[in-house]
Amino acid sequence: MLELRELAKSIAGQPVLAGVTLEIAPGRPTAIVGLGRAEREAVARLLTGTDKPAAGTIRLGGADIARARREKGRIVRLGPALAASSGQRVGKLLDAQMASRAGLSTALNAKVSELKPEQRMRLALAQALAERPALLILDAPASQLPGDVRDAFAADLKTLLSGFSGVALVLASAAEEALGPDGDIVVIGGGVVIQRGAARDVSGHPANLASAAATSWPVLNTLPMTAREGRGMLADGSRLQLPEGRVLPEAGDCTLAFHPEDVTLERASPGCVRFVVRAGAEEARGEHRFLNVNFAGAPWLCPLATPAPRTGALLNAFVDQSRLMVFDAKGQALD
């Protein structure tokens, strides 16, 4: 068990953690999202016992983190910059079973220095897991990989971490790293925990706009509006009437949002909301194809399963009303 009690840390006067209390159990990966690069570095240094917090305590397996740090191999931190190169062959470092699990079966005879960055990360992670640390920290593991490779690597984190009995903590730089392990997610903003829960629950029912943006892959589709008498006034002067049951503020700014995966270009059910969008360019993310579209000046992504329409074509895009999210001017979710 990793225990954070009233943990505080700031950078240049800005809170990274402001009295955060968390318990992270072993055996189920947990991802922390919402931190920038410098903030992730600060948190990683706290969790490895390298730096001391301004206030609060960190305990691993009931012992102070400073004590755990002195035990070799008990805490392992891994990130792109820490995946070392060498002249050794992969087959000398991993057995066939672990190599298969890491997706390196075809690279057993290759030298580590000959591996691609993604393969080097897979190797480093497999080696770290073999050490059976009590705490494994994955610090933005896919952040320096190309887009299509990054998505594939992040999606494989669930398989790579399966069976690990220690505490696995992912300091995620993007939604794909947080969602890939399919464990729990902790969203941090302004130094406090905004939301915590199973990855699918946080992504499907975000507490606020920050949680939604941090857990939507590859982006969050949003539509800024001004509420007036229960209707949404759009930037182009048009009005959007939401279905019965979808609440807007009585007045003031708000945001409509939904995940790209919830958009279809064909009506899927009677409860869908229709948007007339203008087609843009096709975009590939790993094995997934998306179409860039525009609605009332808002750029969205839609999954694409058919040949891309011509650029500029008007299309119908549908979103099931149950998948629409509405946030008020402060970013808080509205039921």
Side-chain angles (χ1 to χ4, degrees), residues 47-90:
L47 297 180
T48 55
T50 305
D51 291 344
K52 293 183 178 180
T57 60
I58 306 172
R59 302 182 73 83
L60 179 62
D64 185 82
I65 199 67
R67 177 181 174 183
R69 173 181 168 80
R70 292 193 291 268
E71 299 178 32
K72 185 178 180 180
R74 188 164 171 77
I75 302 173
V76 174
R77 177 187 175 189
L78 181 61
L82 303 174
S85 176
S86 75
Q88 291 183 287
R89 298 192 182 276
V90 174

Side-chain angles (χ1 to χ4, degrees), residues 3-4 14 28 66 111 179:
E3 300 172 90
L4 283 57
Q14 296 300 312
R28 180 176 172 83
K111 294 180 180 179
L179 297 170

